[in-house]
Amino acid sequence: QVQLVESGGGLVQAGGSLRLSCAASGSIIMINTMNWYRQAPGKQRELVATITSGGTTNYADSVKGRFTISRDNAKNTVYLQMNSLKPEDTAVYYCNERSAYSGGDYWGQGTRVTVSS
């Protein structure tokens, strides 16, 4: 059974930084595609960042140059380093794992990020 547990959210002032973590169990993240999504109040969930099994990363235009996705294979954990945070980054952030092998699509419970102006 795959389980994803996010942590690291909180309240931060504009211009500040946070690092989100997503610890996976029951899967091997290095062979799967890992994503960070976010959902702001009243808005649809949007893809923020992706890291593939080959290590390729992609970002939404709104976070390019400010956010960095990475993974620690030994800890089976993926991270989202968020710098220069803006009030519009306020959302619940979700970790997602997609397996090309099993077809599995797994989600964490989310961690809330609030950026004050």
Side-chain angles (χ1 to χ4, degrees), residues 52-74:
T52 69
S53 57
T56 301
T57 58
N58 287 289
Y59 300 92
D61 287 343
S62 58
V63 307
K64 277 181 183 175
R66 300 189 297 122
F67 290 12
T68 303
I69 188 171
S70 62
R71 67 180 183 224
D72 184 330
N73 296 331

Side-chain angles (χ1 to χ4, degrees), residues 18-38:
L18 283 174
R19 188 177 79 154
L20 306 183
S21 299
C22 172
S25 59
S27 67
I28 303 173
I29 66 167
M30 64 183 290
I31 65 172
N32 294 327
T33 295
M34 302 298 297
N35 303 295
W36 283 100
Y37 283 78
R38 68 185 180 187

Side-chain angles (χ1 to χ4, degrees), residues 17 20 33 39 48 52 61 63 66 80-81 93 95 106:
S17 298
L20 306 183
T33 295
Q39 187 166 20
V48 174
T52 69
D61 287 343
V63 307
R66 300 189 297 122
L80 186 68
Q81 177 66 44
Y93 284 72
C95 180
Y106 308 101

